[in-house]
Amino acid sequence: LPGTTDEYLIIGAHHDHLGLGDQSSLAPSQIGQPHHGADDNASGTAGVIELARKFAARCDSPKRGILFMTFAGEEIGLLGSAYWVNHSTRPLGKAVVMFNMDMIGRITGQKIYVGGVGTGSTFKTLLAQTTKNSGFTVDYSVSGYSASDHTSFVGKQIPVLFFFSGLHGDYHKPSDTVDKIN
């Protein structure tokens, strides 16, 4: 989505999962069954698509452009995001922030996790103001490093925010199904 300047934001998630399971399955006796990944891939990808739809419907142009991206290869080592930051289709120096959504579909107790707040000087203050009346409790993490695609951007000195609804017992199992998304 073009902006009025050449700077841009990145909103991303990963769309790969475990297929029929592999060595990453946390249900080894169920390897061979579909590992749906409704939260651990589809919820973040759906979030990217929904934000793209909402922003595209606006009548005004944003100041900064927005690049909506989904990545493959996250589950086997951040391959898609690592490739993109090393072969970017836009000038990497014009990227202002990367927002990553990985497992955003199963909020428990109105608690959300936001990582990477230490990678930008105003992130924690801005998030506190934005979420003050949201009804959510926000657990912040300073680090921008974890096992998800935003880590590829941190390595290139691009500030990141990583949105996450928390781990659950269905993680990397066939039981991570759409009926549990809230």
Side-chain angles (χ1 to χ4, degrees):
L1 181 66
T4 58
T5 71
D6 59 353
E7 293 181 323
Y8 64 101
L9 318 173
I10 301 164
I11 299 175
H14 72 94
H15 63 259
D16 66 315
H17 203 247
L18 304 181
L20 297 178
D22 60 16
Q23 67 275 7
S24 297
S25 175
L26 294 180
S29 66
Q30 297 176 5
I31 291 175
Q33 295 180 30
H35 285 54
H36 304 284
D39 191 22
D40 185 17
N41 79 324
S43 66
T45 301
V48 171
I49 293 168
E50 181 62 9
L51 287 171
R53 187 182 71 78
K54 290 281 193 185
F55 279 107
R58 291 178 51 158
C59 295
D60 59 334
S61 292
K63 177 180 176 183
R64 294 176 172 132
I66 306 172
L67 182 59
F68 301 94
M69 302 179 73
T70 62
F71 304 101
E74 189 264 5
E75 297 290 356
I76 55 174
L78 314 182
L79 300 182
S81 58
Y83 182 87
W84 192 84
V85 299
N86 288 310
H87 304 89
S88 61
T89 57
R90 309 258 321 142
L92 207 54
K94 296 295 182 172
V96 176
V97 63
M98 190 281 181
F99 298 101
N100 185 33
M101 296 181 289
D102 185 357
M103 293 180 63
I104 61 168
R106 292 180 61 177
I107 295 173
T108 303
Q110 295 304 102
K111 186 172 187 177
I112 58 174
Y113 301 87
V114 181
V117 297
T119 65
S121 61
T122 61
F123 284 167
K124 190 163 185 181
T125 301
L126 179 62
L127 284 165
Q129 292 170 352
T130 304
T131 60
K132 183 170 55 172
N133 298 316
S134 69
F136 291 107
T137 301
V138 183
D139 187 353
Y140 300 105
S141 171
V142 173
S143 176
Y145 290 98
S146 70
S148 194
D149 289 304
H150 59 283
T151 297
S152 297
F153 293 83
V154 172
K156 297 292 185 178
Q157 286 72 53
I158 296 170
V160 300
L161 286 174
F162 171 48
F163 296 89
F164 181 64
S165 60
L167 286 174
H168 48 73
D170 299 309
Y171 175 70
H172 279 201
K173 296 178 182 174
S175 54
D176 184 4
T177 55
V178 70
D179 57 300
K180 297 172 183 163
I181 299 296
N182 65 10

